[in-house]
Amino acid sequence: MSELKRSKLNHLLASLGDSDLVSSRWLQTHGYSRSLVARYVTSGWLVSPARGVYLRKGGQLQWQGVVRSLQERENLALYVGGRFALAMQGHEHYLRLGEAATVTLYGSTRPPGWLSQLAMPDRFEFCGKPPFDWPGPDFTADTQKDPLLEQGLKREEVLSGAGTIVCSTPERAMLELCDGPPSAALVYEADTLMQSLATLSPRRVTALLRHCSSIKATRLFLALADRYQHAWLKRISLDGVGLGSGKRVLVPGGRLHPTYQITLPRDLDEHLG
């Protein structure tokens, strides 16, 4: 191998952490030809866990590394939100140690096809565009934390010494969960989680509600918060919050919330965990 090619290989391997992925698209953009990448694979320097994507030799597939690679190397505006963002921050009541995770990703761009082909116990669920009217920020390594926090997003360290990923704060994640397909099961889950959310930021909740484009999510969030009367609820402002008009039937045959005009399951109290 020539000195130049060896230098390119060393630079690539040094840039890849133990769980980082790199795509064919990225490699070609950065001067690694298909034939050169094929040589790296044949020589055992790289392994291909799915068509069009690579790990360095000895690397391990982990959801944290996959998400970080999507955000920082592929420059895709995808982030961990909703149900799994709550789970990874300690708010998922039924997540058990050792269970395979379903990582809920949000964003305006669909993930690459290779994401669903990775042979790993955890899987990824693309939940689509989040229910907010903000333009999506960039998630590169250079993105500062303040613009993220203004939209209810933050950087979270998920692997010691391996960098951070962008995920929803609990305030945003709960609204994203409330925007899921309407069903009694969704309300039971959201209600149990809302019970544990006693320390939300009223300022952040207010900003998120004002920018939430889903009337269903806004009403369900507020109706469940009303059930538990957390201290932060008294400190939020509903000025500028879109609540729409008329009734919303979330659960057929359910009980209508008198303030937020959305139906909740009649047996909701029986499902508290």
Side-chain angles (χ1 to χ4, degrees), residues 9 26 30 58 73-74 95 134 204 230:
L9 172 61
W26 186 94
H30 288 79
R73 199 177 293 275
E74 299 301 307
L95 191 70
W134 281 300
R204 188 171 298 139
H230 293 312

Side-chain angles (χ1 to χ4, degrees), residues 170-183:
E171 295 86 354
R172 177 169 176 137
M174 188 63 186
L175 273 164
E176 289 164 343
L177 178 64
C178 288
D179 189 48
S183 67

Side-chain angles (χ1 to χ4, degrees), residues 44-124:
W45 295 109
L46 295 178
V47 295
S48 180
R51 182 179 176 85
V53 68
Y54 303 89
L55 278 167
R56 77 179 187 183
K57 179 182 178 181
Q60 293 185 327
L61 283 175
Q62 294 179 288
W63 71 262
Q64 300 94 327
V66 174
V67 172
R68 198 164 74 92
S69 296
L70 290 172
Q71 292 178 346
E72 297 189 5
R73 199 177 293 275
E74 299 301 307
N75 293 327
L76 295 176
L78 293 167
Y79 67 92
V80 177
R83 180 178 289 106
F84 192 73
L86 288 165
M88 62 182 280
Q89 295 173 77
H91 295 289
E92 186 65 277
H93 70 288
Y94 57 77
L95 191 70
R96 293 180 174 84
L97 189 65
E99 286 189 351
T102 297
V103 183
T104 43
L105 296 175
Y106 289 77
S108 56
T109 304
R110 294 193 66 85
W114 51 257
L115 186 66
S116 62
Q117 303 302 316
L118 298 175
M120 52 191 302
D122 305 321
R123 71 181 188 91
F124 296 88

